[in-house]
């Protein structure tokens, strides 16, 4: 039995209890753009709705952005604002697919819609990393093996450190500093894949410690997807192992496209909790 067949055979359907509570202090009324809803690809798995709740109550208007993510627009009033959600989502229990036969497509054969994910972006500076990428991975077999080599490299090159997280850190910064958090692992891996002509996109969502030892304080997680063998494949440089129970929120070029909150005025983040745990059977 192959690893992929074993993955499917060993899948254990489950229910995941997920949600968040995020608290801001706003000295004045401020518009906010939020990316906090479960991705449309998982909407049919929702057992209870993932309504975005606000306290105090304010109108919420939603739309789909250019990447197919659900975005919410609100006008936060002056004072304290609490954003929250609490829901149950069904999951098939499969771990990330393993497809070592997945080939790397020549650039000229790539579908038009994936070309965007070959280009440099705000946090993924392909121009600054191209020479290093080709020196490190130019001799690796193209396709799945090359992406895995990049994932292995990033996993070992960056030491996980909350203290070294900052909102302006780029892939190049993460590479030179060698410390960061999950978004830095994802940014560096995405940038290196693009340098090697492999389309790569940044993902954010819930990834609880289901099926693995408890790893620490829960947060939203970042991973990445690459286009190989005619499909998008999941990789995770932070964990560097197949995981179960990913609940996607959004995809984009990098963290710019999937920021959980853009505030168009002063707003201080004063509270932040995320939940993603296995829920008991219904009843």
């Amino acid at each position: 039995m192959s690893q992929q067949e074993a993955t499917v055979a060993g899948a254990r359907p489950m229910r995941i209890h997920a949600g968040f509570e995020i608290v801001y202090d706003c000295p004045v009324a401020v518009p906010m753009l939020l990316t906090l809803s479960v991705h449309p690809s998982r909407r049919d798995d929702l057992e209870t709705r993932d309504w975005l709740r606000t306290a105090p109550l304010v109108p919420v208007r939603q739309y789909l952005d250019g990447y197919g993510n659900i975005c919410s627009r609100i006008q936060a009033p002056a004072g304290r604002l609490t954003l929250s959600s609490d829901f149950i989502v069904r999951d098939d229990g499969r771990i990330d697919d393993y497809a070592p036969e997945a080939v790397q497509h020549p650039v000229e054969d790539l579908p038009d819609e994936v070309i965007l994910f070959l280009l440099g972006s705000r946090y993924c500076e392909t121009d600054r990393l191209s020479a290093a990428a080709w020196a490190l991975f130019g001799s690796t077999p193209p396709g799945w093996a090359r992406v895995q080599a990049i994932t292995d490299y990033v996993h070992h090159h960056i030491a996980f450190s909350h203290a070294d997280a900052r909102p302006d850190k780029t892939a190049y910064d993460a590479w030179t500093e060698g410390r960061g958090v999950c978004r830095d692992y994802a940014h560096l891996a995405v940038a290196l894949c693009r340098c090697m002509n492999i389309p790569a996109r940044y993902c954010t969502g819930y990834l609880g410690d289901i099926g693995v030892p408890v790893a620490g304080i829960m947060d939203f997680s970042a991973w990445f997807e690459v286009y190989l063998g005619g499909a998008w494949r999941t990789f995770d440089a932070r964990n560097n192992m197949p995981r179960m129970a990913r609940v996607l929120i959004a995809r984009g070029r990098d963290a710019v496209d999937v920021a959980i909150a853009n505030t168009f005025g002063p707003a201080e983040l004063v509270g932040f909790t995320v939940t993603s745990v296995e829920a008991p059977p219904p009843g």
Side-chain angles (χ1 to χ4, degrees), residues 16-22 38 53 84-89 205-210 216-221 245 247 249 272-279:
I16 299 170
H17 176 201
F20 59 84
E21 182 178 272
I22 303 172
V38 170
R53 300 192 295 256
S84 64
S85 186
D86 185 78
F87 59 92
I88 301 292
V89 58
Y206 296 91
L207 179 60
D209 299 319
I210 299 173
I217 299 172
M218 179 64 198
D219 196 349
F220 292 117
S221 189
V247 181
I249 292 175
F272 185 89
T273 58
V274 178
T275 299
S276 183
V277 296
E278 186 169 2

Side-chain angles (χ1 to χ4, degrees), residues 2-5 7 95-101 144 148 233-234 242:
S2 69
Q3 180 173 341
Q4 189 170 17
E5 290 170 335
T7 297
I95 63 173
D96 302 328
D97 285 343
Y98 175 68
E101 74 289 347
W144 185 278
Q148 187 59 61
R233 318 283 182 169
T234 298

Side-chain angles (χ1 to χ4, degrees), residues 35 42 162 198 218 227:
T35 309
R42 296 298 305 268
H162 280 295
I198 302 167
M218 179 64 198
Y227 190 81

Side-chain angles (χ1 to χ4, degrees), residues 157-171:
H157 184 76
I158 297 178
F160 189 85
S161 171
H162 280 295
D164 290 282
R166 63 177 193 272
D168 63 345
K169 181 178 282 189
T170 67

